[in-house]
Amino acid sequence: MASKKFTPSSKSTLPFKTGNREKRQKLHITRKKALDNTRRDERFRRRREEDKDPSLRDERLRQNVPLTLERKRVWDNLDNIIGDGIGVSVDAERLKRQKLDQDDQLDTDEAGSDPEEDVQSSDQISDRDSMIDSASESDEPSTKPSNPHKRHKSASERATSPTASTPSTNLDLTPSALTTRFPTLFPTSPAPLPKTLITTSLNSTLHTEAHLLTTLFPNSVYIPRSAHRHSHEYSLREIASFATNRAYTALLVLKEDQKKPTGLTFVHLPTGPTFHFSISNWVEGKKLPGHGRPTNHSPELILNNFRTPLGLLTAHLFRSVFPPQPDFQGRQVVTLHNQRDYIFLRRHRYIFREKRESEKSVIGPDGKEVKGVEGIRAGLQELGPRFTMKLRRIDKGIQRASGQEWEWKGKMEKQRTKFQL
């Protein structure tokens, strides 16, 4: 039960209007102590009541849910989606469910139509009749009685997203229109083994950071990029052509500002598209407390909380640079967690061990203990590097000058509670 609004004591309503500074300070201290004592008495009274009736504590905790930006997240209307929905904020799971419901409704309407009338009339007339019949059925009043005592939703329930937040990304929910628009990211035949070429911007000093990326992305090679006055300044399109002729599947360009990594460009070979990310909070593995040393094993990949069509497209991009079959004996895992359109990248090594007496049981998404793993725990050791990415723009193909033609561009949504990934 939520705490009721209490009435302060008489000591907390002392006058403050006095010309003496020392008296004002004493009055302020006295009033503050009185308010603190009143809140303390209220807190202890509520604790005594909840000890007698534990259901009051459960009800209070259920209602006192902080309204974060994730719980205030708003979605676009599903009826206003045109095309693949790459520029709108919709839940791909709801979009898939709505399409399945429409297909089931269409099958039901076709099964309920009279076969004799279909034989006598043409195909266009039968389609028109079925549409009229379905419209007439939807116009009939519902016989189900309404509940007059309907409970009003609380503020936390109204702010919650329409579907439960799923931590893992289901790539099977990708819309078909998205696969048609980007066929290179969604191949019908088995894709070749990923092979990545990593380079930097002109006259870059981030050689150490680029070598760290070669340990992060399997089967990758770093080639320095210089702009000597006697050398040729290769453009991004020329480098992509060079990489395509040597069977590379992706090109990564690390950008620099004030000798710090500030951006990462993904080019999906051979024809694009090109993804531009900004980088912040770069931390090398050797600066992490208790860090480990990475090995050459292919890591496992975890994609979290990519829910919109644009988020699924970004998840498919990251999946294309990691091998589909990881080396489980290496026990390495790379996590890409999306939260408020910021993508947090972490790399860990895990080990399974026995549960200690001081540790709690594993709790599932439903709030209950997971059965079968009561005595097992997973220990994590971060390997690094760690950094945060944010998607800024998606360009069409591979362009000579960046930003000429783009598929999607950031900073187009001004509402803080609407996210694109």
Side-chain angles (χ1 to χ4, degrees):
M1 183 177 66
S3 61
K4 299 180 181 179
K5 188 175 181 180
F6 57 89
T7 303
S9 62
S10 57
K11 295 181 180 180
S12 62
T13 57
L14 297 174
F16 282 88
K17 294 182 179 180
T18 176
N20 192 321
R21 179 180 177 182
E22 295 182 357
K23 288 186 177 180
R24 287 199 309 268
Q25 292 178 350
K26 292 181 180 179
L27 289 175
H28 174 70
I29 294 175
T30 304
R31 180 179 180 275
K32 187 176 180 180
K33 288 182 178 180
L35 288 175
D36 293 342
N37 292 334
T38 306
R39 294 192 184 98
R40 181 177 179 276
D41 296 340
E42 173 67 18
R43 187 169 62 253
F44 276 88
R45 182 192 61 80
R46 185 175 64 246
R47 180 182 298 180
R48 289 192 298 268
E49 293 178 356
E50 291 176 351
D51 290 340
K52 296 179 182 178
D53 189 1
S55 61
L56 298 177
R57 181 181 291 106
D58 297 338
E59 181 68 17
R60 177 176 60 85
L61 295 178
R62 189 187 66 83
Q63 294 182 1
N64 295 344
V65 179
L67 295 180
T68 59
L69 280 179
E70 286 81 4
R71 298 185 62 85
K72 293 181 180 180
R73 180 173 186 175
V74 296
W75 303 87
D76 291 329
N77 191 2
L78 295 177
D79 300 332
N80 299 333
I81 299 176
I82 300 176
D84 50 12
I86 191 175
V88 295
S89 177
V90 294
D91 193 353
E93 185 177 357
R94 294 184 61 197
L95 190 63
K96 188 76 171 181
R97 190 184 304 116
Q98 185 189 38
K99 185 177 180 181
L100 293 177
D101 294 342
Q102 292 176 356
D103 294 342
D104 295 342
Q105 183 66 25
L106 184 61
D107 296 340
T108 304
D109 295 341
E110 292 178 355
S113 60
D114 192 357
E116 296 181 357
E117 295 180 358
D118 295 340
V119 174
Q120 295 176 1
S121 60
S122 61
D123 295 337
Q124 296 180 355
I125 299 177
S126 63
D127 294 338
R128 191 181 308 163
D129 293 340
S130 63
M131 292 174 63
I132 295 175
D133 294 339
S134 62
S136 62
E137 292 175 1
S138 62
D139 293 336
E140 292 180 0
S142 176
T143 58
K144 185 177 180 180
S146 60
N147 186 10
H149 303 286
K150 186 176 181 180
R151 185 179 65 87
H152 295 284
K153 293 184 178 181
S154 62
S156 59
E157 293 174 344
R158 292 194 304 269
T160 308
S161 58
T163 57
S165 178
T166 56
S168 59
T169 302
N170 187 4
L171 298 179
D172 296 333
L173 300 176
T174 305
S176 58
L178 199 63
T179 60
T180 306
R181 186 173 178 180
F182 302 94
T184 57
L185 285 175
F186 305 94
T188 55
S189 60
L193 188 66
K195 185 179 178 182
T196 308
L197 174 63
I198 300 177
T199 185
T200 59
S201 56
L202 293 173
N203 293 331
S204 177
T205 60
L206 302 180
H207 304 291
T208 304
E209 290 78 0
H211 280 292
L212 289 177
L213 290 180
T214 58
T215 64
L216 179 63
F217 298 100
N219 198 16
S220 59
V221 179
Y222 168 57
I223 299 180
R225 184 183 179 190
S226 63
H228 192 267
R229 62 179 180 177
H230 298 297
S231 64
H232 179 71
E233 298 182 2
Y234 290 95
S235 64
L236 184 62
R237 181 179 294 182
E238 293 174 339
I239 298 176
S241 177
F242 168 87
T244 303
N245 296 334
R246 286 155 181 80
Y248 285 95
T249 60
L251 171 63
L252 270 66
V253 181
L254 184 63
K255 298 182 179 180
E256 174 190 8
D257 186 18
Q258 296 182 357
K259 297 185 179 183
K260 294 182 181 180
T262 58
L264 193 62
T265 300
F266 281 80
V267 181
H268 186 73
L269 301 177
T271 58
T274 304
F275 290 74
H276 299 272
F277 295 89
S278 62
I279 291 182
S280 60
N281 302 328
W282 176 283
V283 181
E284 299 180 5
K286 63 181 182 181
K287 295 183 179 180
L288 298 173
H291 68 89
R293 293 184 178 181
T295 58
N296 294 329
H297 297 89
S298 298
E300 305 174 44
L301 181 63
I302 298 178
L303 300 170
N304 284 348
N305 206 24
F306 292 92
R307 304 178 61 179
T308 64
L310 181 62
L312 293 176
L313 180 65
T314 308
H316 275 278
L317 172 71
F318 291 121
R319 190 183 68 166
S320 64
V321 296
F322 287 92
Q325 296 296 334
D327 298 332
F328 292 102
Q329 63 270 21
R331 296 181 286 106
Q332 294 184 160
V333 56
V334 174
T335 305
L336 290 165
H337 176 73
N338 171 47
Q339 185 175 0
R340 302 181 187 177
D341 289 347
Y342 287 92
I343 303 174
F344 300 90
L345 189 144
R346 301 291 186 269
R347 179 170 56 164
H348 296 87
R349 179 183 291 117
Y350 61 88
I351 184 173
F352 295 105
R353 56 176 176 79
E354 296 182 357
K355 173 188 173 184
R356 302 188 182 96
E357 296 181 357
S358 60
E359 294 177 339
K360 298 181 180 179
S361 301
V362 180
I363 304 299
D366 54 353
K368 300 180 181 179
E369 296 184 3
V370 180
K371 298 181 179 180
V373 293
E374 290 82 359
I376 302 177
R377 284 295 176 275
L380 294 178
Q381 182 185 33
E382 190 168 358
L383 306 178
R386 65 158 65 170
F387 54 91
T388 306
M389 295 183 292
K390 185 175 179 62
L391 182 62
R392 298 298 181 180
R393 190 176 66 252
I394 302 177
D395 290 341
K396 291 183 179 180
I398 306 173
Q399 302 177 13
R400 186 174 301 274
S402 178
Q404 292 177 344
E405 295 182 4
W406 46 270
E407 300 278 2
W408 178 86
K409 185 170 62 173
K411 296 184 179 180
M412 300 179 65
E413 180 59 52
K414 302 301 181 182
Q415 191 173 358
R416 290 189 61 194
T417 55
K418 184 178 293 185
F419 306 115
Q420 300 296 325
L421 300 183

